[in-house]
Amino acid sequence: MKKYIFYICSIATFLLTSTVVLAQFPYQSTLTKGDEFYQFSSSVTFDSNGATLTPANNNITRGFYLNDLAFTVDRGFIIGFDYLMTGGGAGTNFADGLALVLFDGSETAPRMGSDGSGLGYAYKTPVSSEQGLTKGFLAVGVDLWGNFKVRRADGVKEYRNGIRNGTNNSTLLDDGGKTADANNHITIRGQGSGGEGYPVLITQSTTNFNSRTMLNFSNGLYDIKPVDPQNTPFSFKLRENPNSDESDLTALVGDKSYRRVEISMLPGNKSGVVGFYMAVDVIHGTQKSRVINNYFLPKEARINYMEVSGSPESSNVLKPLDLKAPQTFKIGFVASTGGFNQRHIVRNLSLYIPFSPSVGGIYLTDLCKDTPTEIDVLEKSVGFDSNIYSGEGDLSALGKREFLDPYSFQFRMIVNNVYEDTAQPYIAVSQYGTYEYNPVTTKVVFTPNKGVTMPTSDQVYFTIRNKDKQLANGTNLGSEQFRSNTATLRLVFGKNCNEVLMVNGNSI
């Protein structure tokens, strides 16, 4: 297979305008406080559980965005966030879903897109009803109900472009004759304005590994089936909790209900066309699945898609759409409910530059409550000494542990719902014990406090940098702006291991 080699360029300085402050990388937020965010609607709540986009009520669409923080397209970005869909529903029906949205960074007063299956991004025709997200460029829909990808046809009340139902209209696998309606899909919609555009670019089922399709830019049809996104088939639901309760409200990594989405956009060149390689990974419980792999989106191009021309599902016309990535992006989150509902929560947002170290969380179980534990904290982490990417595979596969700078390690804690670096980078102290990192061995030793009642689990956080590496353009991959995302070190405790068993007055 031909590989398209490209260089990810990094700029040394940002251009500042009166309305846009460009992001300082890496960016982290627990999304438990709303101080930094503007709201598309005024009812998103921020608390210790994260940002609740919608409560478990019908017919609600809400969202928020980072107005004072934008980032350039030149060097790409990686975005990660936790989400939870819980509560609500009627029986086993829950709806609709949520989306990460990207829009023009010069826009200071954006408006959300349509409600229900529009997920707050796409339009709803007639145009007088609801237009799409202002200057929207991209939406990654975490679509539990499944209609975000659908060519909607609800009489004259609501219709929009998308994938038509039926086995002859796309490469999606048949689901009882209504392929497009299948639940549990990760769907990417593209650029649009007002009541046109926002076409479905690619969609992948998370419960049926072989069900996927993408837009053919030439004929506007969904007759292209992408290659397998990973070697091993996956099957998982976007929502784990089958009941109407919120028993999984505080789900952490390792819990069955835990979900995290990681989206990378890496600028590159394919067949002479400049654009982005996109990948979407979903962490579910303790497993990580690549749902969309290296989807190439041109930075500027004319494509074709089928736009609706009337309410009947057969009413479509082939139209051109001029794609053009804005100079800067802003990000936001939107979610919606319809005739069914659920609570949509997002939390633990991270935004960082490609070729920053890829750090994996460490989650250990059944540990001794009363004796020290040694931990290989960098076991799942790699660094980089180059910014060359082939346009294929997982970016982290290009990294090596030897490229990490062990002396740049930094512990972090959450203080008042905000990530804060510890005063001594190699030491973190919780109410249950002390974590101490050794840069020579790259191991952490956790020593529990004596005389305290140990919890079920305890956790701290950490970051690290690459070793210094000057590139030809003057960029140093070991600089602070290339510091990694924040990873979690979580310990789950079992029994006491230092107890002495006495038999007939003698210890054994």
Side-chain angles (χ1 to χ4, degrees):
M1 180 182 294
K2 183 178 180 181
K3 294 185 176 180
Y4 304 93
I5 306 297
F6 68 93
Y7 290 83
I8 292 186
C9 300
S10 180
I11 58 177
T13 58
F14 289 120
L15 298 176
L16 301 180
T17 72
S18 60
T19 57
V20 177
V21 176
L22 293 176
Q24 300 301 306
F25 293 96
Y27 173 81
Q28 301 277 161
S29 174
T30 59
L31 299 181
T32 55
K33 293 184 176 181
D35 301 349
E36 299 180 56
F37 311 114
Y38 287 55
Q39 300 207 25
F40 292 115
S41 59
S42 60
S43 300
V44 175
T45 59
F46 296 83
D47 57 30
S48 60
N49 294 312
T52 293
L53 294 165
T54 72
N57 297 323
N58 289 358
N59 302 313
I60 294 176
T61 304
R62 294 176 182 169
F64 68 93
Y65 61 99
L66 283 74
N67 188 60
D68 296 327
L69 183 148
F71 45 95
T72 64
V73 302
D74 301 79
R75 47 186 174 177
F77 52 87
I78 299 174
I79 296 172
F81 61 92
D82 297 350
Y83 80 86
L84 181 69
M85 300 175 184
T86 191
T92 58
N93 291 312
F94 307 99
D96 276 287
L98 59 90
L100 171 86
V101 296
L102 302 176
F103 59 97
D104 193 326
S106 66
E107 178 59 49
T108 57
R111 299 183 63 181
M112 273 190 308
S114 66
D115 58 9
S117 57
L119 290 192
Y121 181 74
Y123 68 83
K124 179 168 68 175
T125 303
V127 176
S128 58
S129 297
E130 294 180 38
Q131 298 189 4
L133 176 72
T134 309
K135 296 183 180 179
F137 179 72
L138 199 74
V140 179
V142 184
D143 188 19
L144 180 67
W145 187 257
N147 276 352
F148 185 55
K149 64 185 178 302
V150 170
R151 195 294 187 190
R152 186 74 167 158
D154 185 12
V156 295
K157 176 184 175 183
E158 175 183 356
Y159 49 98
R160 72 174 63 85
N161 67 49
I163 302 169
R164 295 178 60 193
N165 282 323
T167 56
N168 296 324
N169 295 314
S170 77
T171 62
L172 293 177
L173 295 183
D174 181 35
D175 184 29
K178 301 199 69 172
T179 357
D181 282 345
N183 304 136
N184 293 286
H185 266 252
I186 298 294
T187 300
I188 298 178
R189 278 189 179 261
Q191 196 164 14
S193 177
E196 289 189 341
Y198 310 94
V200 174
L201 300 178
I202 186 171
T203 191
Q204 166 72 56
S205 169
T206 63
T207 55
N208 188 334
F209 181 74
N210 291 311
S211 186
R212 69 186 81 96
T213 195
M214 62 186 283
L215 176 63
N216 186 328
F217 287 171
S218 297
N219 60 21
L221 303 177
Y222 293 93
D223 57 5
I224 299 176
K225 184 172 183 176
V227 298
D228 293 354
Q230 64 178 37
N231 293 329
T232 304
F234 51 72
S235 179
F236 64 93
K237 296 180 180 179
L238 296 175
R239 169 180 169 140
E240 189 69 27
N241 186 356
N243 303 312
S244 296
D245 58 45
E246 295 185 355
S247 58
D248 56 351
L249 183 59
T250 58
L252 298 173
V253 174
D255 295 336
K256 289 184 178 180
S257 289
Y258 180 78
R259 296 289 184 273
R260 182 169 181 82
V261 177
E262 296 177 349
I263 301 161
S264 63
M265 288 189 69
L266 308 180
N269 184 302
K270 184 174 183 179
S271 301
V273 178
V274 175
F276 304 92
Y277 285 97
M278 290 191 63
V280 180
D281 296 308
V282 179
I283 299 172
H284 45 102
T286 59
Q287 303 297 312
K288 183 175 182 178
S289 298
R290 171 142 293 191
V291 180
I292 292 175
N293 187 37
N294 284 324
Y295 175 75
F296 186 79
L297 180 65
K299 182 177 179 181
E300 185 171 358
R302 171 163 284 198
I303 69 171
N304 294 302
Y305 76 107
M306 288 291 180
E307 185 57 86
V308 296
S309 58
S311 177
E313 191 169 301
S314 58
S315 300
N316 308 282
V317 293
L318 185 66
K319 293 196 68 171
L321 175 64
D322 291 321
L323 299 178
K324 186 173 183 180
Q327 182 178 356
T328 60
F329 288 121
K330 290 179 183 176
I331 68 172
F333 291 92
V334 289
S336 63
T337 65
F340 299 108
N341 63 69
Q342 60 186 348
R343 183 175 176 181
H344 295 91
I345 300 172
V346 289
R347 48 201 177 203
N348 297 324
L349 169 66
S350 65
L351 170 63
Y352 57 102
I353 303 175
F355 297 101
S356 303
S358 174
V359 293
I362 302 296
Y363 313 103
L364 302 179
T365 60
D366 200 28
L367 300 179
C368 295
K369 294 181 179 181
D370 55 352
T371 59
T373 298
E374 186 179 71
I375 304 144
D376 186 0
V377 71
L378 301 179
E379 178 186 4
K380 299 179 181 179
S381 301
V382 296
F384 298 90
D385 74 340
S386 170
N387 64 349
I388 299 175
Y389 177 65
S390 66
E392 297 179 6
D394 189 346
L395 179 63
S396 63
L398 301 178
K400 294 183 179 180
R401 183 166 172 169
E402 65 192 67
F403 298 146
L404 295 170
D405 177 7
Y407 291 91
S408 68
F409 184 93
Q410 172 70 65
F411 273 121
R412 310 192 82 189
M413 305 283 283
I414 293 181
V415 181
N416 296 324
N417 294 317
V418 175
Y419 288 109
E420 288 189 5
D421 292 337
T422 56
Q424 299 181 66
Y426 298 165
I427 297 177
V429 180
S430 75
Q431 67 183 100
Y432 304 109
T434 299
Y435 299 79
E436 188 166 0
Y437 168 78
N438 185 329
V440 177
T441 64
T442 67
K443 302 291 179 62
V444 166
V445 174
F446 171 74
T447 304
N449 291 337
K450 293 182 179 180
V452 301
T453 301
M454 295 296 288
T456 301
S457 65
D458 192 35
Q459 62 187 41
V460 293
Y461 309 89
F462 65 93
T463 65
I464 198 168
R465 296 197 313 261
N466 297 314
K467 290 178 179 176
D468 282 348
K469 180 62 182 291
Q470 294 287 341
L471 302 180
N473 62 0
T475 297
N476 183 0
L477 287 179
S479 65
E480 192 64 28
Q481 67 176 340
F482 281 92
R483 181 166 284 277
S484 73
N485 60 308
T486 299
T488 302
L489 169 56
R490 185 184 182 207
L491 309 181
V492 177
F493 301 104
K495 61 184 179 180
N496 289 325
C497 300
N498 204 29
E499 295 178 337
V500 177
L501 180 62
M502 304 295 293
V503 177
N504 295 326
N506 298 310
S507 62
I508 61 172

